[in-house]
Amino acid sequence: MSQPQEKYRVTIAYGDGIGPEIMRATLAVLEAAGAPLEYDVIEIGEKVYRQGITSGIPDEAWEVLRRNRVFLKAPITTPQGGGYKSLNVTIRKALGLFANIRPTKSLHPYVETPYPDIDLVIVRENEEDLYAAIEHRQTTEVVQALKLVTRPGSEGIIRYAFEYARAYGRRKVTCMSKDNILKLTDGLFHKIFEEIAAEYPDIEAEHRIIDIGAALVAARPETLDVIVTLNLYGDILSDIAAQVAGSVGLGGSANVGTHAAMFEAIHGSAPDIAGKDIANPSGLLNAAVMMLVHLGLADIAARIENAWLRTIEDGIHTADIYRPGKSKKKVGTQAFAEAVIARLGQEPQHLKPVHFRKPGVSVEIRPTPRQPKQLVGVDVFIDWDEAGRDPNVLGRKLEALAGEAFRLRVITNRGVKVYPGGLPETFCTDHWRCRFVAAEEGGTVTPAQILELLRRIHEAGLEFIKTEHLYTFDGQRGFSLAQAE
Amino acid sequence: MSQPQEKYRVTIAYGDGIGPEIMRATLAVLEAAGAPLEYDVIEIGEKVYRQGITSGIPDEAWEVLRRNRVFLKAPITTPQGGGYKSLNVTIRKALGLFANIRPTKSLHPYVETPYPDIDLVIVRENEEDLYAAIEHRQTTEVVQALKLVTRPGSEGIIRYAFEYARAYGRRKVTCMSKDNILKLTDGLFHKIFEEIAAEYPDIEAEHRIIDIGAALVAARPETLDVIVTLNLYGDILSDIAAQVAGSVGLGGSANVGTHAAMFEAIHGSAPDIAGKDIANPSGLLNAAVMMLVHLGLADIAARIENAWLRTIEDGIHTADIYRPGKSKKKVGTQAFAEAVIARLGQEPQHLKPVHFRKPGVSVEIRPTPRQPKQLVGVDVFIDWDEAGRDPNVLGRKLEALAGEAFRLRVITNRGVKVYPGGLPETFCTDHWRCRFVAAEEGGTVTPAQILELLRRIHEAGLEFIKTEHLYTFDGQRGFSLAQAE
Ligand SMILES: NC(=O)c1ccc[n+]([C@@H]2O[C@H](COP(=O)([O-])OP(=O)(O)OC[C@H]3O[C@@H](n4cnc5c(N)ncnc54)[C@H](OP(=O)(O)O)[C@@H]3O)[C@@H](O)[C@H]2O)c1
Ligand SMILES: NC(=O)c1ccc[n+]([C@@H]2O[C@H](COP(=O)([O-])OP(=O)(O)OC[C@H]3O[C@@H](n4cnc5c(N)ncnc54)[C@H](OP(=O)(O)O)[C@@H]3O)[C@@H](O)[C@H]2O)c1
């Protein structure tokens, strides 16, 4: 074999629950396969949380993570009760791990699944969407969260999906979004998908509305290859895919950024079976295989993966996938690792052996060249609970406050137009979106004029709670119209 | 039978594609079953769109819909190309149809499904969430959508789910949300679920994170009974459920509000098979059964549903569910209706016969009593693309502008803290959320002070693009903290 003599230094964490035992099993296989790795161990998880460190990770660990850039992480236990932050979210955000990669494969007939031919990969955007968790409550009745979609972030993840497809010899990338409703946010994601797909004519590209797409993952998963999607949708799809493939205990995942990458099993710390040497180490082992590919150690990765497939095929199974009559032998965590080690150099005979190409999947997130924009109005949100919430009363008040620069175009309540010309069936909350546009058709306004408008609204005794400027970009509308506006 | 002699006047629309033929089949069954109904026919859909009415519904139809309050709707075709609005969304919003009800049942072994024991109902919030479609692009790189969750809306849908469970003799209601991430919005939904569940001690209540919940619907649907959830999640779950039950051509759905209700099949107008008398009318027929229950005509509803179940059981199948060897007879749309009519008065012998209770499901959406609040700061969003996007440059500028009333607490970019003390790995977009709080710890600020702050920011040459006021309610924080704030 032509492996480099150079050693790669990676960070590892043994985690909680079944973490230590599956990590030991995984490291044993890596060593037996000759992976040229050295480790720095960091402490994360329950013990750290209990020390009062709400992030679950001590300060000194960050240096190690940032120096080594590659992290193999066993599952941790997040203590119950408030105040603890998700360690995964913290690490992803801090290290800019924008791509979450989750392969799902059925191992029929060795692992039970109603879908024998699943072989898909979900490439999930990892930093944006609703997971920025910017939430505000500004009235008695209404709470809001911001969903953010950015051009650089979308370009990054979509390009990653196509690069991945190319590097792993896959043929199709399916984009999933809800752009029939969310025309600007999901619409941007879909549009960028079309742009980037055009640069990869060798790979088939298609788009599905997320509801139909999720139903496909659930009921026709064999029709899918690489899926690229936004954060929340990807989160949901990943769980569906793992469940229908019966691979919750088997799957690995990668979180990849420009500067660093983290690899882990998709399952948690399973405290109920911890310390008993019965947990399946396959999830973390598969994560380690993804890590080897990432490091450019494609041959060693394939060696381990093929030995693992052969072990599964030989019916050597841990308790979670053992089925009397079908499996051959029930083994513990360490014995399973030894069975894999004993098969290093062998390939599966019925399942398809794997051959990884050198990675080449490296994508940078880049700023977008500035585009000129024009300020054409403002949405002023008002907390109002007077006059039986009659929109006409509020409408007339605001008409009188619009001044020379603006005209009141529409008031909506939960997205439904209620002024002018609302319907009596519409239930109105205390949260009113009041759209002011330039008085003259197609004209622009200034920030100073907006501040004046807000001052008039405030002095009239109305409470503005938030504002959204309305822009056009090169003349193109940068805001959605209200229903029937 | 003790049916009232009174006739109910309902609105119907024949729709497009297979709409007219499945409507005729459905009306034939309703008539044969003695449903005391009279109809007003309205024109909607393709023809109306083509006349240039972008809503797909002519003005005069609204009066009819609002007068009759009950609407049985065949599927319509939405023409391709921009400018056309979703008719369903328009009707739902205008009539305040806040609840979408979708029962899903497997008809094993008569209709193929991997899950023989599905019998679940999805109760989906229909007016709020991201579907308010309030979207803004305010910088070159970033687009946002608002997700709105309200207390009255959440109370309405959750109460509806429990009332439905009671009226239909169901035992469990499962709430699904993503409140581990969206602590304020989905958190509110979950909290209200707990409050209302306490009023229904006879019904089991549980909560699932939506990703795990969606995986359950996909892979363990028989464990679910009534599901109540937010708009987007419900949209996704409904498609998964219909798909795994193999019932896309069979399912009906209801959209219910305080003042009106609309009933339709879950499928579309299937133009490829239109006019051939081969479409399955079961979806619309099941919708009509829901309508009868809604009108209080529980006995006639059960009569039809049981005859329909018997027809399915007898192997009289339309092409979409016909399987050689298993089905007995392949029939067309009208012949299927006749087979159902011939079985009126019969019950299924293997499938469970249905017996509907008098409805009693009527829920009103009510305002929430005002809660006092305090203004404690403001998030100012800035479009900024200078100095290599170094957060420290922006941070120092803003520190200098905070003035007497405020102090700059944190700057985040896509939800990640970048000032003070950001990490170099974080990619920064041109969209900066700058949080100003009262200068004195725990103090309050005034709207006038906020306007002054915005003026200073504007005059310093920085472009504010949106604002979000920060409030506490009875001292409780009404906004999320930034990662590591
Ligand atoms: N990335 C992470 O670090 C991560 C991810 C998810 C959850 N968690 C944390 O893990 C803790 C437990 O979460 P959870 O119970 O929801 O999920 P879980 O740890 O994945 O365990 C759920 C169940 O799955 C089975 N299972 C999971 N991994 C297995 C393995 N390797 N071998 C055999 N069986 C396995 C066990 O089922 P049986 O009971 O049938 O044996 C276990 O009880 C929580 O504190 C959670 O916060 C951490
Ligand atoms: N509420 C509504 O009015 C509504 C809802 C959804 C879609 N639509 C509209 O309907 C049009 C077509 O949409 P679509 O093709 O995506 O979905 P679709 O109309 O539901 O049809 C998809 C396929 O499902 C099968 N199918 C659906 N209903 C059937 C029935 N009653 N009997 C037998 N087979 C049935 C047909 O499959 P085969 O080809 O295998 O025969 C059909 O081609 C579009 O204009 C869409 O906008 C309207």
Side-chain angles (χ1 to χ4, degrees):
Chain A
M1 282 195 305
S2 61
Q3 302 307 333
Q5 283 316 299
E6 178 198 355
K7 291 248 182 182
Y8 297 87
R9 217 168 168 81
V10 309
T11 308
I12 59 172
Y14 283 89
D16 303 313
I18 59 172
E21 51 203 297
I22 63 174
M23 181 59 90
R24 280 193 299 271
T26 298
L27 296 181
V29 177
L30 286 172
E31 184 171 1
L37 303 175
E38 291 176 328
Y39 306 107
D40 286 317
V41 180
I42 61 169
E43 183 88 67
I44 55 168
E46 209 171 5
K47 265 172 265 146
V48 181
Y49 283 120
R50 301 260 182 243
Q51 285 161 28
I53 300 173
T54 56
S55 64
I57 178 165
D59 279 350
E60 59 275 18
W62 284 112
E63 266 170 62
V64 182
L65 282 175
R66 294 170 66 192
R67 189 177 61 230
N68 291 339
R69 292 163 155 248
V70 172
F71 180 26
L72 182 65
K73 171 178 167 289
I76 60 154
T77 302
T78 314
Q80 293 296 312
Y84 301 108
K85 298 215 179 86
S86 159
L87 177 60
N88 273 27
V89 174
T90 304
I91 293 178
R92 277 184 208 158
K93 290 199 169 180
L95 298 182
L97 308 180
F98 66 85
N100 179 256
I101 319 296
R102 276 233 204 160
T104 302
K105 210 168 164 171
S106 36
L107 297 169
H108 178 81
Y110 310 103
V111 176
E112 210 163 319
T113 163
Y115 306 104
D117 302 313
I118 304 179
D119 184 8
L120 62 83
V121 181
I122 296 172
V123 177
R124 163 185 170 196
E125 199 289 316
N126 224 355
E127 297 187 300
E128 310 190 340
D129 197 357
L130 288 158
Y131 290 51
I134 303 176
E135 296 182 283
H136 294 90
R137 177 181 174 201
Q138 294 157 329
T139 72
T140 292
E141 291 182 347
V142 181
V143 189
Q144 77 170 30
L146 289 188
K147 171 181 164 113
L148 297 180
V149 176
T150 78
R151 177 168 270 280
S154 303
E155 282 175 355
I157 193 71
I158 292 166
R159 191 170 293 289
Y160 193 97
F162 280 97
E163 286 291 317
Y164 182 98
R166 222 175 234 177
Y168 285 77
R170 291 183 168 265
R171 285 175 308 128
K172 186 172 73 170
V173 179
T174 305
C175 174
M176 295 194 189
S177 82
K178 187 77 196 172
D179 70 335
N180 53 338
I181 301 283
L182 296 164
K183 301 204 160 117
L184 296 192
T185 47
D186 287 19
L188 177 66
F189 194 83
H190 186 174
K191 183 168 156 236
I192 293 172
F193 178 76
E194 304 283 348
E195 287 170 17
I196 291 178
E199 296 176 38
Y200 296 82
D202 48 320
I203 293 163
E204 193 190 334
E206 64 177 11
H207 177 269
R208 298 276 184 181
I209 302 292
I210 182 61
D211 39 347
I212 294 161
L216 278 180
V217 174
R220 307 282 302 280
E222 68 284 353
T223 63
L224 295 160
D225 191 347
V226 177
I227 299 170
V228 65
T229 191
L230 298 97
N231 206 339
L232 172 67
Y233 310 141
D235 191 1
I236 294 174
L237 295 181
S238 298
D239 267 36
I240 297 174
Q243 199 66 50
V244 297
S247 69
V248 175
L250 305 179
S253 88
N255 288 281
V256 181
T258 308
H259 308 286
M262 170 170 82
F263 302 86
E264 62 179 341
I266 64 173
H267 60 73
S269 59
D272 53 328
I273 55 167
K276 299 182 180 163
D277 190 46
I278 59 176
N280 190 339
S282 297
L284 190 59
L285 185 64
N286 275 316
V289 168
M290 295 173 84
M291 176 182 77
L292 293 172
V293 177
H294 178 84
L295 288 168
L297 301 167
D299 294 341
I300 302 181
R303 217 168 122 76
I304 294 177
E305 187 72 3
N306 285 325
W308 175 74
L309 287 169
R310 179 62 179 264
T311 309
I312 296 286
E313 215 181 63
D314 283 349
I316 317 284
H317 292 168
T318 44
D320 55 316
I321 59 170
Y322 181 84
R323 283 176 306 152
K326 307 228 169 171
S327 304
K328 294 267 161 51
K329 196 175 167 190
K330 194 193 279 188
V331 294
T333 311
Q334 290 303 319
F336 182 83
E338 281 154 30
V340 174
I341 290 168
R343 285 166 181 76
L344 285 167
Q346 298 181 33
E347 292 201 340
Q349 300 182 293
H350 306 286
L351 296 168
K352 217 174 102 202
V354 299
H355 298 283
F356 300 112
R357 311 194 192 174
K358 297 270 164 190
V361 188
S362 162
V363 168
E364 264 198 61
I365 300 218
R366 289 219 189 79
T368 311
R370 293 294 278 181
Q371 208 183 334
K373 65 178 180 180
Q374 306 78 40
L375 182 59
V376 298
V378 62
D379 281 345
V380 182
F381 289 70
I382 292 180
D383 180 353
W384 187 70
D385 185 23
E386 289 165 31
R389 301 189 183 175
D390 177 353
N392 297 308
V393 174
L394 180 62
R396 281 189 298 263
K397 270 195 183 197
L398 291 174
E399 299 273 12
L401 297 168
E404 304 260 294
F406 295 94
R407 100 195 122 81
L408 176 67
R409 171 107 130 233
V410 68
I411 303 178
T412 69
N413 197 295
R414 296 192 298 171
V416 180
K417 184 174 94 166
V418 293
Y419 180 90
L423 289 177
E425 282 90 348
T426 307
F427 174 81
C428 289
T429 65
D430 54 12
H431 191 266
W432 307 80
R433 189 261 301 258
C434 311
R435 173 159 290 177
F436 292 91
V437 296
E440 140 204 26
E441 190 68 40
T444 59
V445 299
T446 66
Q449 287 171 330
I450 289 177
L451 290 176
E452 272 309 298
L453 173 66
L454 293 173
R455 191 188 51 71
R456 286 195 299 276
I457 290 172
H458 168 58
E459 288 175 356
L462 290 169
E463 187 191 355
F464 68 98
I465 55 177
K466 64 171 273 170
T467 61
E468 301 280 359
H469 286 192
L470 305 178
Y471 292 99
T472 55
F473 290 79
D474 289 335
Q476 267 219 310
R477 187 164 39 78
F479 48 92
S480 56
L481 295 182
Q483 196 73 19
E485 182 176 338
Chain B
M1 283 193 306
S2 61
Q3 301 308 330
Q5 282 316 299
E6 182 198 353
K7 291 249 181 180
Y8 296 88
R9 214 166 173 83
V10 310
T11 309
I12 60 173
Y14 283 88
D16 303 314
I18 58 172
E21 52 203 293
I22 63 174
M23 180 59 89
R24 280 193 299 271
T26 299
L27 295 181
V29 177
L30 286 172
E31 184 173 358
L37 303 175
E38 290 176 327
Y39 307 108
D40 284 317
V41 180
I42 61 168
E43 185 86 66
I44 54 168
E46 211 172 6
K47 266 172 265 144
V48 181
Y49 283 119
R50 300 263 182 241
Q51 285 162 26
I53 300 173
T54 56
S55 63
I57 179 166
D59 279 348
E60 58 275 18
W62 285 111
E63 265 169 63
V64 182
L65 283 174
R66 294 170 67 192
R67 190 178 60 228
N68 291 338
R69 291 160 156 250
V70 172
F71 180 26
L72 181 65
K73 171 179 169 288
I76 59 153
T77 301
T78 314
Q80 294 295 312
Y84 301 107
K85 297 212 179 90
S86 159
L87 178 59
N88 273 27
V89 175
T90 303
I91 292 178
R92 277 184 209 158
K93 290 201 169 179
L95 298 181
L97 308 181
F98 67 85
N100 179 256
I101 319 297
R102 276 234 204 159
T104 302
K105 210 168 166 171
S106 34
L107 297 169
H108 180 80
Y110 310 102
V111 176
E112 210 162 323
T113 164
Y115 306 103
D117 302 312
I118 305 180
D119 184 8
L120 62 82
V121 180
I122 296 172
V123 177
R124 164 187 170 196
E125 200 290 316
N126 224 355
E127 299 188 298
E128 310 189 340
D129 198 357
L130 289 158
Y131 290 50
I134 303 176
E135 297 182 283
H136 294 91
R137 178 181 174 202
Q138 294 157 330
T139 72
T140 292
E141 290 182 348
V142 180
V143 189
Q144 78 170 28
L146 289 187
K147 172 182 163 113
L148 297 180
V149 177
T150 79
R151 177 168 269 278
S154 303
E155 282 175 354
I157 194 70
I158 292 166
R159 191 170 293 287
Y160 193 97
F162 280 98
E163 287 290 317
Y164 183 98
R166 222 175 233 178
Y168 285 76
R170 290 183 169 267
R171 284 175 310 127
K172 186 173 74 171
V173 179
T174 305
C175 174
M176 297 195 187
S177 83
K178 189 76 196 173
D179 70 334
N180 54 337
I181 300 284
L182 296 165
K183 300 203 161 119
L184 296 192
T185 48
D186 287 19
L188 177 65
F189 195 83
H190 186 175
K191 184 169 155 233
I192 294 172
F193 178 76
E194 305 283 350
E195 288 169 17
I196 291 179
E199 297 176 37
Y200 296 82
D202 48 320
I203 293 163
E204 194 190 335
E206 63 176 14
H207 177 268
R208 300 276 184 182
I209 301 293
I210 182 62
D211 39 347
I212 294 162
L216 278 180
V217 174
R220 306 281 303 280
E222 68 285 353
T223 62
L224 295 160
D225 191 346
V226 176
I227 299 170
V228 63
T229 190
L230 297 96
N231 206 339
L232 172 68
Y233 309 142
D235 191 3
I236 295 174
L237 295 182
S238 298
D239 267 36
I240 298 173
Q243 198 67 50
V244 297
S247 69
V248 174
L250 305 179
S253 88
N255 288 280
V256 181
T258 308
H259 307 286
M262 171 170 83
F263 301 86
E264 60 178 343
I266 64 172
H267 59 72
S269 58
D272 52 328
I273 56 167
K276 298 183 181 163
D277 190 47
I278 58 175
N280 190 340
S282 297
L284 190 58
L285 187 62
N286 277 315
V289 167
M290 296 174 83
M291 176 182 77
L292 292 172
V293 177
H294 177 82
L295 288 169
L297 301 166
D299 294 341
I300 302 180
R303 216 169 122 76
I304 295 176
E305 187 72 4
N306 285 325
W308 175 75
L309 288 169
R310 180 63 180 265
T311 309
I312 297 286
E313 215 181 66
D314 284 350
I316 317 285
H317 292 169
T318 44
D320 54 315
I321 59 169
Y322 181 85
R323 283 176 306 152
K326 307 227 169 173
S327 305
K328 294 265 160 53
K329 194 172 168 192
K330 193 193 280 186
V331 294
T333 310
Q334 289 303 318
F336 182 82
E338 281 154 30
V340 174
I341 290 169
R343 284 164 182 77
L344 284 168
Q346 299 181 35
E347 292 200 340
Q349 300 182 293
H350 305 286
L351 297 168
K352 214 174 104 201
V354 299
H355 298 282
F356 300 112
R357 310 192 193 176
K358 296 270 161 186
V361 187
S362 161
V363 168
E364 262 198 62
I365 300 216
R366 290 219 188 79
T368 311
R370 293 292 279 182
Q371 208 183 335
K373 65 178 183 181
Q374 306 79 42
L375 182 60
V376 299
V378 61
D379 281 348
V380 181
F381 289 71
I382 292 178
D383 179 355
W384 188 70
D385 185 22
E386 288 165 30
R389 301 189 182 176
D390 177 351
N392 297 308
V393 174
L394 181 61
R396 282 189 297 264
K397 270 196 183 199
L398 289 175
E399 299 273 12
L401 297 168
E404 303 261 293
F406 295 94
R407 99 197 123 80
L408 176 68
R409 171 106 132 235
V410 67
I411 302 178
T412 68
N413 198 295
R414 297 193 297 172
V416 180
K417 185 174 94 165
V418 294
Y419 180 89
L423 290 175
E425 282 90 349
T426 306
F427 173 81
C428 289
T429 66
D430 54 13
H431 190 266
W432 308 80
R433 190 261 300 258
C434 310
R435 173 159 290 179
F436 291 92
V437 296
E440 141 204 24
E441 189 70 40
T444 58
V445 298
T446 66
Q449 287 170 332
I450 289 177
L451 290 176
E452 271 310 298
L453 172 67
L454 292 173
R455 192 189 49 74
R456 288 195 298 276
I457 290 172
H458 169 57
E459 286 174 359
L462 290 170
E463 187 192 353
F464 68 99
I465 55 176
K466 64 170 275 172
T467 61
E468 301 278 0
H469 286 192
L470 305 178
Y471 292 99
T472 55
F473 289 78
D474 288 335
Q476 267 218 311
R477 188 163 41 76
F479 48 91
S480 56
L481 296 181
Q483 196 74 17
E485 183 177 337

